[in-house]
Structures are given as structure tokens and as C-alpha cells.
Amino acid sequence: MFGKLSVSLFLLFVFCNGPAEAQKKKETLLSEKVTQMMEWASKRSVIRMNGDKFRRFVKAPPRNYSVVIMFTALQPQRQCGVCRQADEEFQVLANSWRYSSAFTNKVFFASVDFDEGSDVFQM
């Protein structure tokens, strides 16, 4: 009898704390993601992403922030003049946001270069 009672109490504890623990892990992961994004944004207005960073910080939940992404091909061998001009404008936009009074940890600017994240272009 005591064995069944302890197993029942254990299962009750697991089921009651399971969602709370999952929520706490979700919040911790989200906090880590936002902290990392803020650190990158403090160093440069446009965060450079490869496929792994894109999947982790843009595609994968949890996420309570937005990412404005420019897909480009800036490597010299690509010779994309339009990409260079668009990148300059995107940098101006990102800098304007970064130094504005409206800046928060809810919007980030990033770019994915074809040669650094060609798998992202396949998505």
C-alpha cells in the first residue's frame, strides 16, 4: 500500500511540475537568445547570420522578438552591385534603429550572405 501511494505521489508531483519546469526552461532559453542577440547588436547594427544562427535565432521557438533580415550575396566573387547598395541602405536603417529612442530588445536587424548560409536560401 505504501509503495503504491509513493508512486502515485511521485507521478502527481511529476505531472504537476512538468509544465512549470517546461515553461521555466522555455523562459531561460528565450532569455539566453535575447541576451545573445543584444550582445551581437551592441557590436554591430546588422547581425551576420549563417544557417545555424538563422535556424536557432529566427526559425526556432521560443521567440518574442522580430528579426528584419536581408538576404544578400556580398562576397567579391559574386560582383553584385545591387547587393552592395542595398547593404549600405540596410546598414543606415539598422543604425538609425539602434541609436533611436525606440530601440528595444524586440527588433533586430540581420543579414544572411549566400556564401555563408546557402542552406537558408533553400528554405
Side-chain angles (χ1 to χ4, degrees), residues 14 16-30 62:
V14 168
C16 289
N17 287 329
E21 287 297 317
Q23 181 64 26
K24 188 172 183 174
K25 284 183 181 180
K26 182 179 174 182
E27 290 172 5
T28 300
L29 178 58
L30 180 59

mmCIF file of all heavy atoms in Angstrom, residues 14 16-30 62:
data_model
loop_
_atom_site.group_PDB
_atom_site.id
_atom_site.type_symbol
_atom_site.label_atom_id
_atom_site.label_comp_id
_atom_site.label_asym_id
_atom_site.label_seq_id
_atom_site.Cartn_x
_atom_site.Cartn_y
_atom_site.Cartn_z
ATOM 1 N N VAL A 14 5.333 14.831 -10.638
ATOM 2 C CA VAL A 14 5.891 14.963 -11.978
ATOM 3 C C VAL A 14 4.901 15.665 -12.902
ATOM 4 O O VAL A 14 5.252 16.577 -13.639
ATOM 5 C CB VAL A 14 6.298 13.583 -12.541
ATOM 6 C CG1 VAL A 14 6.608 13.671 -14.026
ATOM 7 C CG2 VAL A 14 7.485 13.031 -11.783
ATOM 8 N N CYS A 16 2.370 17.598 -12.061
ATOM 9 C CA CYS A 16 2.098 18.973 -11.631
ATOM 10 C C CYS A 16 3.265 19.899 -11.935
ATOM 11 O O CYS A 16 3.076 21.050 -12.289
ATOM 12 C CB CYS A 16 1.788 19.009 -10.136
ATOM 13 S SG CYS A 16 0.185 18.294 -9.749
ATOM 14 N N ASN A 17 4.483 19.409 -11.807
ATOM 15 C CA ASN A 17 5.653 20.254 -12.017
ATOM 16 C C ASN A 17 6.170 20.206 -13.443
ATOM 17 O O ASN A 17 6.946 21.050 -13.835
ATOM 18 C CB ASN A 17 6.774 19.870 -11.048
ATOM 19 C CG ASN A 17 6.458 20.310 -9.647
ATOM 20 O OD1 ASN A 17 5.782 21.307 -9.460
ATOM 21 N ND2 ASN A 17 6.915 19.569 -8.665
ATOM 22 N N GLY A 18 5.759 19.258 -14.224
ATOM 23 C CA GLY A 18 6.229 19.120 -15.593
ATOM 24 C C GLY A 18 6.010 20.378 -16.415
ATOM 25 O O GLY A 18 6.958 20.939 -16.972
ATOM 26 N N PRO A 19 4.773 20.875 -16.525
ATOM 27 C CA PRO A 19 4.549 22.085 -17.320
ATOM 28 C C PRO A 19 5.285 23.309 -16.765
ATOM 29 O O PRO A 19 5.769 24.134 -17.526
ATOM 30 C CB PRO A 19 3.036 22.273 -17.261
ATOM 31 C CG PRO A 19 2.492 20.905 -16.995
ATOM 32 C CD PRO A 19 3.528 20.249 -16.125
ATOM 33 N N ALA A 20 5.374 23.413 -15.452
ATOM 34 C CA ALA A 20 6.076 24.555 -14.852
ATOM 35 C C ALA A 20 7.562 24.505 -15.191
ATOM 36 O O ALA A 20 8.162 25.532 -15.511
ATOM 37 C CB ALA A 20 5.875 24.570 -13.342
ATOM 38 N N GLU A 21 8.138 23.318 -15.123
ATOM 39 C CA GLU A 21 9.554 23.166 -15.473
ATOM 40 C C GLU A 21 9.783 23.456 -16.951
ATOM 41 O O GLU A 21 10.752 24.107 -17.325
ATOM 42 C CB GLU A 21 10.052 21.752 -15.119
ATOM 43 C CG GLU A 21 10.225 21.512 -13.646
ATOM 44 C CD GLU A 21 11.298 22.415 -13.042
ATOM 45 O OE1 GLU A 21 12.363 22.603 -13.646
ATOM 46 O OE2 GLU A 21 11.046 22.943 -11.937
ATOM 47 N N ALA A 22 8.869 22.980 -17.787
ATOM 48 C CA ALA A 22 8.985 23.230 -19.230
ATOM 49 C C ALA A 22 8.893 24.731 -19.511
ATOM 50 O O ALA A 22 9.642 25.265 -20.340
ATOM 51 C CB ALA A 22 7.905 22.472 -19.988
ATOM 52 N N GLN A 23 8.003 25.412 -18.832
ATOM 53 C CA GLN A 23 7.848 26.861 -19.009
ATOM 54 C C GLN A 23 9.113 27.582 -18.554
ATOM 55 O O GLN A 23 9.565 28.523 -19.206
ATOM 56 C CB GLN A 23 6.628 27.370 -18.226
ATOM 57 C CG GLN A 23 6.384 28.853 -18.378
ATOM 58 C CD GLN A 23 6.030 29.268 -19.798
ATOM 59 O OE1 GLN A 23 5.505 28.483 -20.575
ATOM 60 N NE2 GLN A 23 6.333 30.498 -20.140
ATOM 61 N N LYS A 24 9.688 27.123 -17.450
ATOM 62 C CA LYS A 24 10.905 27.757 -16.943
ATOM 63 C C LYS A 24 12.057 27.561 -17.927
ATOM 64 O O LYS A 24 12.816 28.487 -18.192
ATOM 65 C CB LYS A 24 11.264 27.178 -15.581
ATOM 66 C CG LYS A 24 12.393 27.900 -14.897
ATOM 67 C CD LYS A 24 12.598 27.443 -13.480
ATOM 68 C CE LYS A 24 13.685 28.259 -12.835
ATOM 69 N NZ LYS A 24 13.840 27.975 -11.427
ATOM 70 N N LYS A 25 12.174 26.360 -18.498
ATOM 71 C CA LYS A 25 13.218 26.107 -19.489
ATOM 72 C C LYS A 25 13.014 26.982 -20.721
ATOM 73 O O LYS A 25 13.960 27.508 -21.285
ATOM 74 C CB LYS A 25 13.233 24.626 -19.890
ATOM 75 C CG LYS A 25 13.850 23.725 -18.865
ATOM 76 C CD LYS A 25 13.905 22.294 -19.350
ATOM 77 C CE LYS A 25 14.512 21.404 -18.287
ATOM 78 N NZ LYS A 25 14.581 20.005 -18.715
ATOM 79 N N LYS A 26 11.753 27.126 -21.133
ATOM 80 C CA LYS A 26 11.416 27.953 -22.286
ATOM 81 C C LYS A 26 11.818 29.401 -22.018
ATOM 82 O O LYS A 26 12.422 30.055 -22.870
ATOM 83 C CB LYS A 26 9.921 27.848 -22.563
ATOM 84 C CG LYS A 26 9.437 28.613 -23.750
ATOM 85 C CD LYS A 26 7.937 28.403 -23.937
ATOM 86 C CE LYS A 26 7.390 29.258 -25.034
ATOM 87 N NZ LYS A 26 5.943 29.111 -25.203
ATOM 88 N N GLU A 27 11.492 29.903 -20.838
ATOM 89 C CA GLU A 27 11.845 31.276 -20.470
ATOM 90 C C GLU A 27 13.358 31.465 -20.395
ATOM 91 O O GLU A 27 13.875 32.498 -20.811
ATOM 92 C CB GLU A 27 11.186 31.647 -19.150
ATOM 93 C CG GLU A 27 9.680 31.813 -19.251
ATOM 94 C CD GLU A 27 8.993 31.988 -17.909
ATOM 95 O OE1 GLU A 27 9.692 32.081 -16.869
ATOM 96 O OE2 GLU A 27 7.755 32.026 -17.904
ATOM 97 N N THR A 28 14.064 30.461 -19.879
ATOM 98 C CA THR A 28 15.520 30.533 -19.791
ATOM 99 C C THR A 28 16.131 30.559 -21.186
ATOM 100 O O THR A 28 17.009 31.375 -21.471
ATOM 101 C CB THR A 28 16.077 29.338 -18.989
ATOM 102 O OG1 THR A 28 15.524 29.379 -17.676
ATOM 103 C CG2 THR A 28 17.590 29.373 -18.913
ATOM 104 N N LEU A 29 15.636 29.686 -22.067
ATOM 105 C CA LEU A 29 16.137 29.651 -23.435
ATOM 106 C C LEU A 29 15.867 30.972 -24.136
ATOM 107 O O LEU A 29 16.742 31.527 -24.805
ATOM 108 C CB LEU A 29 15.500 28.498 -24.213
ATOM 109 C CG LEU A 29 15.890 28.366 -25.679
ATOM 110 C CD1 LEU A 29 17.397 28.192 -25.834
ATOM 111 C CD2 LEU A 29 15.149 27.209 -26.316
ATOM 112 N N LEU A 30 14.679 31.508 -23.965
ATOM 113 C CA LEU A 30 14.333 32.785 -24.574
ATOM 114 C C LEU A 30 15.236 33.888 -24.047
ATOM 115 O O LEU A 30 15.752 34.706 -24.817
ATOM 116 C CB LEU A 30 12.864 33.126 -24.308
ATOM 117 C CG LEU A 30 12.372 34.439 -24.890
ATOM 118 C CD1 LEU A 30 12.549 34.471 -26.403
ATOM 119 C CD2 LEU A 30 10.922 34.666 -24.512
ATOM 120 N N PRO A 62 11.571 29.246 -28.562
ATOM 121 C CA PRO A 62 10.675 30.384 -28.359
ATOM 122 C C PRO A 62 11.305 31.653 -28.913
ATOM 123 O O PRO A 62 12.520 31.792 -28.978
ATOM 124 C CB PRO A 62 10.545 30.447 -26.838
ATOM 125 C CG PRO A 62 11.858 29.943 -26.331
ATOM 126 C CD PRO A 62 12.282 28.886 -27.326
#
